[in-house]
Amino acid sequence: MPGMGSIRPKKYVFALDCADASALAQFYAELLGWQVDDRPEYPDWVDVLPPEGNAAPVKLGCQQIENYRPPTWPDGPIPQQAHLDFYVDSIAESSIAAEAAGAVRHSHQPSEDGNFVVFLDPEGHPFCLCEE
C-alpha cells in the first residue's frame, strides 16, 4: 500500500520442515560448508549458519515436525511449497559434492538448456544447483 513503508529485516531465515532437524541441518552444513547451531533449549529447531555465524544476514532453519511428509514434486498429493536455488560456478563439480553430502538427483529435470539441476535433500525437499 502506498505510504505504508516497508519492513527492514535484520536477518533472513529460510525454514524447512523435516522429520529430523539435526540430520537435515548436518546435510546443509556439509553441502554449503556452513556450521550447525544446535541449541538444547530448542530441540525441534536447528540453524545452519554461514561462515560468519550469527552475524550473517541469512541462515537456514530446520524445524522438526511430527508426521512430516516430503513433497512429491513435480506431481503428487503433497505439493512443493518452496525450494532453494544455489548458484555455483560449475554444476558438474557441485553435483559431485551434493551427492557426496547425501543429495539425490531428481528424476525430473525440467531445464532444457542445462542451466540448473534439481536435487532432493535427505528429507525430500527439492533444491537446484544453478549456473547463470
Side-chain angles (χ1 to χ4, degrees), residues 73-106:
W73 181 87
D75 300 311
I78 305 169
Q80 166 189 269
Q81 291 87 29
H83 73 275
L84 298 166
D85 287 342
F86 299 111
Y87 283 81
V88 297
D89 290 330
S90 167
I91 290 174
E93 290 176 18
S94 297
S95 295
I96 293 168
E99 290 171 337
V104 175
R105 188 179 295 252
H106 199 291

Side-chain angles (χ1 to χ4, degrees), residues 73 104-112 116-119:
W73 181 87
V104 175
R105 188 179 295 252
H106 199 291
S107 60
H108 181 72
Q109 296 294 327
S111 176
E112 292 182 13
F116 68 91
V117 175
V118 182
F119 287 88

